[in-house]
PDB file of all heavy atoms in Angstrom:
ATOM      1  N   LEU A  24     -18.237 -17.382  -9.846  1.00 95.00           N
ATOM      2  CA  LEU A  24     -18.206 -17.206 -11.302  1.00 95.00           C
ATOM      3  C   LEU A  24     -19.593 -17.429 -11.900  1.00 95.00           C
ATOM      4  O   LEU A  24     -20.053 -16.642 -12.741  1.00 95.00           O
ATOM      5  CB  LEU A  24     -17.197 -18.173 -11.923  1.00 95.00           C
ATOM      6  CG  LEU A  24     -17.092 -18.152 -13.452  1.00 95.00           C
ATOM      7  CD1 LEU A  24     -16.646 -16.782 -13.941  1.00 95.00           C
ATOM      8  CD2 LEU A  24     -16.139 -19.238 -13.948  1.00 95.00           C
ATOM      9  N   PHE A  25     -20.259 -18.483 -11.474  1.00 95.00           N
ATOM     10  CA  PHE A  25     -21.605 -18.779 -11.981  1.00 95.00           C
ATOM     11  C   PHE A  25     -22.578 -17.659 -11.602  1.00 95.00           C
ATOM     12  O   PHE A  25     -23.385 -17.219 -12.425  1.00 95.00           O
ATOM     13  CB  PHE A  25     -22.082 -20.114 -11.408  1.00 95.00           C
ATOM     14  CG  PHE A  25     -23.464 -20.497 -11.844  1.00 95.00           C
ATOM     15  CD1 PHE A  25     -23.685 -21.098 -13.077  1.00 95.00           C
ATOM     16  CD2 PHE A  25     -24.563 -20.246 -11.030  1.00 95.00           C
ATOM     17  CE1 PHE A  25     -24.968 -21.445 -13.481  1.00 95.00           C
ATOM     18  CE2 PHE A  25     -25.847 -20.588 -11.421  1.00 95.00           C
ATOM     19  CZ  PHE A  25     -26.053 -21.193 -12.656  1.00 95.00           C
ATOM     20  N   GLY A  26     -22.498 -17.202 -10.346  1.00 94.00           N
ATOM     21  CA  GLY A  26     -23.398 -16.152  -9.898  1.00 94.00           C
ATOM     22  C   GLY A  26     -23.212 -14.857 -10.657  1.00 94.00           C
ATOM     23  O   GLY A  26     -24.190 -14.191 -11.036  1.00 94.00           O
ATOM     24  N   LEU A  27     -21.956 -14.474 -10.916  1.00 95.00           N
ATOM     25  CA  LEU A  27     -21.689 -13.241 -11.645  1.00 95.00           C
ATOM     26  C   LEU A  27     -22.030 -13.373 -13.130  1.00 95.00           C
ATOM     27  O   LEU A  27     -22.533 -12.432 -13.743  1.00 95.00           O
ATOM     28  CB  LEU A  27     -20.212 -12.848 -11.483  1.00 95.00           C
ATOM     29  CG  LEU A  27     -19.768 -12.457 -10.071  1.00 95.00           C
ATOM     30  CD1 LEU A  27     -18.277 -12.159 -10.047  1.00 95.00           C
ATOM     31  CD2 LEU A  27     -20.550 -11.245  -9.554  1.00 95.00           C
ATOM     32  N   ALA A  28     -21.746 -14.548 -13.705  1.00 93.00           N
ATOM     33  CA  ALA A  28     -22.004 -14.739 -15.134  1.00 93.00           C
ATOM     34  C   ALA A  28     -23.489 -14.724 -15.463  1.00 93.00           C
ATOM     35  O   ALA A  28     -23.904 -14.241 -16.530  1.00 93.00           O
ATOM     36  CB  ALA A  28     -21.373 -16.053 -15.603  1.00 93.00           C
ATOM     37  N   PHE A  29     -24.317 -15.233 -14.546  1.00 92.00           N
ATOM     38  CA  PHE A  29     -25.756 -15.336 -14.819  1.00 92.00           C
ATOM     39  C   PHE A  29     -26.587 -14.464 -13.888  1.00 92.00           C
ATOM     40  O   PHE A  29     -27.798 -14.687 -13.748  1.00 92.00           O
ATOM     41  CB  PHE A  29     -26.191 -16.796 -14.695  1.00 92.00           C
ATOM     42  CG  PHE A  29     -25.537 -17.709 -15.692  1.00 92.00           C
ATOM     43  CD1 PHE A  29     -24.474 -18.513 -15.314  1.00 92.00           C
ATOM     44  CD2 PHE A  29     -25.955 -17.738 -17.011  1.00 92.00           C
ATOM     45  CE1 PHE A  29     -23.847 -19.346 -16.227  1.00 92.00           C
ATOM     46  CE2 PHE A  29     -25.343 -18.569 -17.931  1.00 92.00           C
ATOM     47  CZ  PHE A  29     -24.284 -19.373 -17.546  1.00 92.00           C
ATOM     48  N   ALA A  30     -25.958 -13.476 -13.258  1.00 91.00           N
ATOM     49  CA  ALA A  30     -26.670 -12.595 -12.330  1.00 91.00           C
ATOM     50  C   ALA A  30     -27.896 -11.926 -12.951  1.00 91.00           C
ATOM     51  O   ALA A  30     -28.952 -11.846 -12.302  1.00 91.00           O
ATOM     52  CB  ALA A  30     -25.709 -11.532 -11.781  1.00 91.00           C
ATOM     53  N   PRO A  31     -27.848 -11.447 -14.202  1.00 91.00           N
ATOM     54  CA  PRO A  31     -29.045 -10.807 -14.764  1.00 91.00           C
ATOM     55  C   PRO A  31     -30.238 -11.746 -14.894  1.00 91.00           C
ATOM     56  O   PRO A  31     -31.388 -11.291 -14.919  1.00 91.00           O
ATOM     57  CB  PRO A  31     -28.568 -10.345 -16.150  1.00 91.00           C
ATOM     58  CG  PRO A  31     -27.089 -10.236 -16.030  1.00 91.00           C
ATOM     59  CD  PRO A  31     -26.699 -11.337 -15.102  1.00 91.00           C
ATOM     60  N   PHE A  32     -29.969 -13.056 -15.007  1.00 89.00           N
ATOM     61  CA  PHE A  32     -31.047 -14.021 -15.201  1.00 89.00           C
ATOM     62  C   PHE A  32     -31.454 -14.711 -13.894  1.00 89.00           C
ATOM     63  O   PHE A  32     -32.498 -15.345 -13.832  1.00 89.00           O
ATOM     64  CB  PHE A  32     -30.624 -15.078 -16.219  1.00 89.00           C
ATOM     65  CG  PHE A  32     -30.218 -14.496 -17.541  1.00 89.00           C
ATOM     66  CD1 PHE A  32     -28.878 -14.338 -17.861  1.00 89.00           C
ATOM     67  CD2 PHE A  32     -31.170 -14.087 -18.452  1.00 89.00           C
ATOM     68  CE1 PHE A  32     -28.500 -13.795 -19.079  1.00 89.00           C
ATOM     69  CE2 PHE A  32     -30.803 -13.538 -19.678  1.00 89.00           C
ATOM     70  CZ  PHE A  32     -29.462 -13.382 -19.990  1.00 89.00           C
ATOM     71  N   LEU A  33     -30.608 -14.597 -12.868  1.00 88.00           N
ATOM     72  CA  LEU A  33     -30.907 -15.226 -11.585  1.00 88.00           C
ATOM     73  C   LEU A  33     -31.629 -14.295 -10.633  1.00 88.00           C
ATOM     74  O   LEU A  33     -32.252 -14.747  -9.668  1.00 88.00           O
ATOM     75  CB  LEU A  33     -29.606 -15.718 -10.924  1.00 88.00           C
ATOM     76  CG  LEU A  33     -28.837 -16.816 -11.660  1.00 88.00           C
ATOM     77  CD1 LEU A  33     -27.506 -17.082 -10.969  1.00 88.00           C
ATOM     78  CD2 LEU A  33     -29.655 -18.089 -11.742  1.00 88.00           C
ATOM     79  N   THR A  34     -31.534 -13.004 -10.859  1.00 84.00           N
ATOM     80  CA  THR A  34     -32.115 -12.014  -9.954  1.00 84.00           C
ATOM     81  C   THR A  34     -32.984 -11.040 -10.728  1.00 84.00           C
ATOM     82  O   THR A  34     -32.918 -10.948 -11.958  1.00 84.00           O
ATOM     83  CB  THR A  34     -31.016 -11.221  -9.220  1.00 84.00           C
ATOM     84  OG1 THR A  34     -30.208 -10.515 -10.199  1.00 84.00           O
ATOM     85  CG2 THR A  34     -30.120 -12.146  -8.426  1.00 84.00           C
ATOM     86  N   THR A  35     -33.796 -10.324  -9.999  1.00 80.00           N
ATOM     87  CA  THR A  35     -34.620  -9.266 -10.582  1.00 80.00           C
ATOM     88  C   THR A  35     -34.372  -7.975  -9.817  1.00 80.00           C
ATOM     89  O   THR A  35     -33.993  -7.997  -8.649  1.00 80.00           O
ATOM     90  CB  THR A  35     -36.120  -9.628 -10.517  1.00 80.00           C
ATOM     91  OG1 THR A  35     -36.478  -9.862  -9.145  1.00 80.00           O
ATOM     92  CG2 THR A  35     -36.411 -10.874 -11.340  1.00 80.00           C
ATOM     93  N   GLY A  36     -34.575  -6.877 -10.463  1.00 79.00           N
ATOM     94  CA  GLY A  36     -34.367  -5.590  -9.806  1.00 79.00           C
ATOM     95  C   GLY A  36     -32.984  -5.039 -10.094  1.00 79.00           C
ATOM     96  O   GLY A  36     -32.068  -5.746 -10.528  1.00 79.00           O
ATOM     97  N   ALA A  37     -32.839  -3.758  -9.808  1.00 84.00           N
ATOM     98  CA  ALA A  37     -31.582  -3.068 -10.121  1.00 84.00           C
ATOM     99  C   ALA A  37     -30.498  -3.320  -9.079  1.00 84.00           C
ATOM    100  O   ALA A  37     -29.313  -3.360  -9.409  1.00 84.00           O
ATOM    101  CB  ALA A  37     -31.842  -1.565 -10.251  1.00 84.00           C
ATOM    102  N   ARG A  38     -30.895  -3.494  -7.823  1.00 88.00           N
ATOM    103  CA  ARG A  38     -29.892  -3.596  -6.759  1.00 88.00           C
ATOM    104  C   ARG A  38     -29.018  -4.842  -6.864  1.00 88.00           C
ATOM    105  O   ARG A  38     -27.800  -4.741  -6.755  1.00 88.00           O
ATOM    106  CB  ARG A  38     -30.583  -3.540  -5.402  1.00 88.00           C
ATOM    107  CG  ARG A  38     -29.596  -3.448  -4.238  1.00 88.00           C
ATOM    108  CD  ARG A  38     -30.305  -3.311  -2.924  1.00 88.00           C
ATOM    109  NE  ARG A  38     -29.377  -3.192  -1.824  1.00 88.00           N
ATOM    110  CZ  ARG A  38     -29.737  -3.146  -0.555  1.00 88.00           C
ATOM    111  NH1 ARG A  38     -31.013  -3.212  -0.233  1.00 88.00           N
ATOM    112  NH2 ARG A  38     -28.826  -3.035   0.396  1.00 88.00           N
ATOM    113  N   PRO A  39     -29.579  -6.037  -7.064  1.00 91.00           N
ATOM    114  CA  PRO A  39     -28.709  -7.211  -7.196  1.00 91.00           C
ATOM    115  C   PRO A  39     -27.751  -7.113  -8.374  1.00 91.00           C
ATOM    116  O   PRO A  39     -26.592  -7.525  -8.278  1.00 91.00           O
ATOM    117  CB  PRO A  39     -29.709  -8.363  -7.381  1.00 91.00           C
ATOM    118  CG  PRO A  39     -30.987  -7.871  -6.809  1.00 91.00           C
ATOM    119  CD  PRO A  39     -31.007  -6.410  -7.085  1.00 91.00           C
ATOM    120  N   LEU A  40     -28.219  -6.555  -9.485  1.00 92.00           N
ATOM    121  CA  LEU A  40     -27.352  -6.421 -10.652  1.00 92.00           C
ATOM    122  C   LEU A  40     -26.249  -5.406 -10.392  1.00 92.00           C
ATOM    123  O   LEU A  40     -25.096  -5.601 -10.820  1.00 92.00           O
ATOM    124  CB  LEU A  40     -28.186  -6.002 -11.862  1.00 92.00           C
ATOM    125  CG  LEU A  40     -27.526  -6.219 -13.233  1.00 92.00           C
ATOM    126  CD1 LEU A  40     -27.214  -7.693 -13.447  1.00 92.00           C
ATOM    127  CD2 LEU A  40     -28.423  -5.702 -14.341  1.00 92.00           C
ATOM    128  N   ASN A  41     -26.580  -4.334  -9.700  1.00 94.00           N
ATOM    129  CA  ASN A  41     -25.571  -3.342  -9.339  1.00 94.00           C
ATOM    130  C   ASN A  41     -24.532  -3.941  -8.388  1.00 94.00           C
ATOM    131  O   ASN A  41     -23.338  -3.662  -8.508  1.00 94.00           O
ATOM    132  CB  ASN A  41     -26.233  -2.132  -8.681  1.00 94.00           C
ATOM    133  CG  ASN A  41     -25.247  -1.038  -8.355  1.00 94.00           C
ATOM    134  OD1 ASN A  41     -24.645  -0.434  -9.235  1.00 94.00           O
ATOM    135  ND2 ASN A  41     -25.049  -0.782  -7.070  1.00 94.00           N
ATOM    136  N   THR A  42     -24.987  -4.794  -7.464  1.00 94.00           N
ATOM    137  CA  THR A  42     -24.062  -5.477  -6.555  1.00 94.00           C
ATOM    138  C   THR A  42     -23.121  -6.386  -7.324  1.00 94.00           C
ATOM    139  O   THR A  42     -21.913  -6.414  -7.069  1.00 94.00           O
ATOM    140  CB  THR A  42     -24.848  -6.299  -5.514  1.00 94.00           C
ATOM    141  OG1 THR A  42     -25.714  -5.430  -4.781  1.00 94.00           O
ATOM    142  CG2 THR A  42     -23.910  -7.000  -4.549  1.00 94.00           C
ATOM    143  N   ALA A  43     -23.654  -7.129  -8.294  1.00 95.00           N
ATOM    144  CA  ALA A  43     -22.824  -8.031  -9.093  1.00 95.00           C
ATOM    145  C   ALA A  43     -21.791  -7.255  -9.914  1.00 95.00           C
ATOM    146  O   ALA A  43     -20.626  -7.654  -9.992  1.00 95.00           O
ATOM    147  CB  ALA A  43     -23.711  -8.872 -10.009  1.00 95.00           C
ATOM    148  N   ALA A  44     -22.207  -6.140 -10.506  1.00 95.00           N
ATOM    149  CA  ALA A  44     -21.266  -5.332 -11.296  1.00 95.00           C
ATOM    150  C   ALA A  44     -20.176  -4.741 -10.403  1.00 95.00           C
ATOM    151  O   ALA A  44     -19.003  -4.690 -10.798  1.00 95.00           O
ATOM    152  CB  ALA A  44     -22.027  -4.215 -12.013  1.00 95.00           C
ATOM    153  N   THR A  45     -20.559  -4.306  -9.208  1.00 95.00           N
ATOM    154  CA  THR A  45     -19.570  -3.767  -8.263  1.00 95.00           C
ATOM    155  C   THR A  45     -18.564  -4.840  -7.859  1.00 95.00           C
ATOM    156  O   THR A  45     -17.359  -4.569  -7.748  1.00 95.00           O
ATOM    157  CB  THR A  45     -20.277  -3.203  -7.020  1.00 95.00           C
ATOM    158  OG1 THR A  45     -21.251  -2.237  -7.426  1.00 95.00           O
ATOM    159  CG2 THR A  45     -19.275  -2.543  -6.083  1.00 95.00           C
ATOM    160  N   ILE A  46     -19.045  -6.065  -7.635  1.00 96.00           N
ATOM    161  CA  ILE A  46     -18.141  -7.160  -7.287  1.00 96.00           C
ATOM    162  C   ILE A  46     -17.144  -7.397  -8.412  1.00 96.00           C
ATOM    163  O   ILE A  46     -15.938  -7.574  -8.175  1.00 96.00           O
ATOM    164  CB  ILE A  46     -18.945  -8.446  -6.991  1.00 96.00           C
ATOM    165  CG1 ILE A  46     -19.741  -8.297  -5.697  1.00 96.00           C
ATOM    166  CG2 ILE A  46     -18.013  -9.659  -6.895  1.00 96.00           C
ATOM    167  CD1 ILE A  46     -20.685  -9.452  -5.426  1.00 96.00           C
ATOM    168  N   CYS A  47     -17.619  -7.404  -9.657  1.00 96.00           N
ATOM    169  CA  CYS A  47     -16.724  -7.606 -10.808  1.00 96.00           C
ATOM    170  C   CYS A  47     -15.607  -6.568 -10.827  1.00 96.00           C
ATOM    171  O   CYS A  47     -14.425  -6.904 -10.982  1.00 96.00           O
ATOM    172  CB  CYS A  47     -17.520  -7.541 -12.105  1.00 96.00           C
ATOM    173  SG  CYS A  47     -18.663  -8.907 -12.384  1.00 96.00           S
ATOM    174  N   VAL A  48     -15.984  -5.307 -10.682  1.00 96.00           N
ATOM    175  CA  VAL A  48     -14.993  -4.233 -10.738  1.00 96.00           C
ATOM    176  C   VAL A  48     -14.025  -4.310  -9.557  1.00 96.00           C
ATOM    177  O   VAL A  48     -12.806  -4.160  -9.725  1.00 96.00           O
ATOM    178  CB  VAL A  48     -15.703  -2.861 -10.766  1.00 96.00           C
ATOM    179  CG1 VAL A  48     -14.683  -1.729 -10.631  1.00 96.00           C
ATOM    180  CG2 VAL A  48     -16.502  -2.702 -12.049  1.00 96.00           C
ATOM    181  N   TYR A  49     -14.547  -4.592  -8.381  1.00 96.00           N
ATOM    182  CA  TYR A  49     -13.687  -4.637  -7.194  1.00 96.00           C
ATOM    183  C   TYR A  49     -12.750  -5.840  -7.218  1.00 96.00           C
ATOM    184  O   TYR A  49     -11.666  -5.785  -6.638  1.00 96.00           O
ATOM    185  CB  TYR A  49     -14.531  -4.627  -5.918  1.00 96.00           C
ATOM    186  CG  TYR A  49     -14.719  -3.242  -5.361  1.00 96.00           C
ATOM    187  CD1 TYR A  49     -15.577  -2.345  -5.981  1.00 96.00           C
ATOM    188  CD2 TYR A  49     -14.029  -2.818  -4.241  1.00 96.00           C
ATOM    189  CE1 TYR A  49     -15.746  -1.064  -5.487  1.00 96.00           C
ATOM    190  CE2 TYR A  49     -14.187  -1.540  -3.732  1.00 96.00           C
ATOM    191  CZ  TYR A  49     -15.052  -0.664  -4.368  1.00 96.00           C
ATOM    192  OH  TYR A  49     -15.208   0.612  -3.879  1.00 96.00           O
ATOM    193  N   ILE A  50     -13.148  -6.926  -7.845  1.00 96.00           N
ATOM    194  CA  ILE A  50     -12.227  -8.058  -7.983  1.00 96.00           C
ATOM    195  C   ILE A  50     -10.970  -7.624  -8.723  1.00 96.00           C
ATOM    196  O   ILE A  50      -9.842  -7.912  -8.302  1.00 96.00           O
ATOM    197  CB  ILE A  50     -12.922  -9.223  -8.714  1.00 96.00           C
ATOM    198  CG1 ILE A  50     -13.935  -9.919  -7.794  1.00 96.00           C
ATOM    199  CG2 ILE A  50     -11.898 -10.244  -9.213  1.00 96.00           C
ATOM    200  CD1 ILE A  50     -14.775 -10.965  -8.499  1.00 96.00           C
ATOM    201  N   VAL A  51     -11.156  -6.914  -9.826  1.00 96.00           N
ATOM    202  CA  VAL A  51     -10.008  -6.446 -10.614  1.00 96.00           C
ATOM    203  C   VAL A  51      -9.234  -5.375  -9.861  1.00 96.00           C
ATOM    204  O   VAL A  51      -7.991  -5.385  -9.837  1.00 96.00           O
ATOM    205  CB  VAL A  51     -10.485  -5.908 -11.973  1.00 96.00           C
ATOM    206  CG1 VAL A  51      -9.335  -5.267 -12.739  1.00 96.00           C
ATOM    207  CG2 VAL A  51     -11.086  -7.033 -12.796  1.00 96.00           C
ATOM    208  N   LEU A  52      -9.942  -4.448  -9.226  1.00 96.00           N
ATOM    209  CA  LEU A  52      -9.284  -3.374  -8.502  1.00 96.00           C
ATOM    210  C   LEU A  52      -8.434  -3.922  -7.357  1.00 96.00           C
ATOM    211  O   LEU A  52      -7.277  -3.512  -7.168  1.00 96.00           O
ATOM    212  CB  LEU A  52     -10.336  -2.398  -7.962  1.00 96.00           C
ATOM    213  CG  LEU A  52      -9.825  -1.168  -7.212  1.00 96.00           C
ATOM    214  CD1 LEU A  52      -8.958  -0.302  -8.112  1.00 96.00           C
ATOM    215  CD2 LEU A  52     -10.989  -0.349  -6.662  1.00 96.00           C
ATOM    216  N   VAL A  53      -8.987  -4.854  -6.595  1.00 96.00           N
ATOM    217  CA  VAL A  53      -8.254  -5.443  -5.468  1.00 96.00           C
ATOM    218  C   VAL A  53      -7.117  -6.323  -5.960  1.00 96.00           C
ATOM    219  O   VAL A  53      -6.024  -6.321  -5.387  1.00 96.00           O
ATOM    220  CB  VAL A  53      -9.221  -6.243  -4.569  1.00 96.00           C
ATOM    221  CG1 VAL A  53      -8.458  -6.994  -3.486  1.00 96.00           C
ATOM    222  CG2 VAL A  53     -10.242  -5.317  -3.931  1.00 96.00           C
ATOM    223  N   ALA A  54      -7.343  -7.078  -7.042  1.00 95.00           N
ATOM    224  CA  ALA A  54      -6.286  -7.923  -7.591  1.00 95.00           C
ATOM    225  C   ALA A  54      -5.109  -7.081  -8.076  1.00 95.00           C
ATOM    226  O   ALA A  54      -3.936  -7.453  -7.890  1.00 95.00           O
ATOM    227  CB  ALA A  54      -6.838  -8.773  -8.730  1.00 95.00           C
ATOM    228  N   SER A  55      -5.391  -5.935  -8.690  1.00 95.00           N
ATOM    229  CA  SER A  55      -4.310  -5.062  -9.150  1.00 95.00           C
ATOM    230  C   SER A  55      -3.547  -4.479  -7.966  1.00 95.00           C
ATOM    231  O   SER A  55      -2.324  -4.291  -8.032  1.00 95.00           O
ATOM    232  CB  SER A  55      -4.869  -3.934 -10.026  1.00 95.00           C
ATOM    233  OG  SER A  55      -5.737  -3.087  -9.288  1.00 95.00           O
TER     234      SER A  55
END
Side-chain angles (χ1 to χ4, degrees):
L24 177 62
F25 179 82
L27 294 177
F29 297 101
F32 303 100
L33 296 174
T34 61
T35 58
R38 188 177 181 185
L40 197 60
N41 183 65
T42 302
T45 305
I46 291 173
C47 291
V48 172
Y49 266 74
I50 286 173
V51 173
L52 182 61
V53 173
S55 64

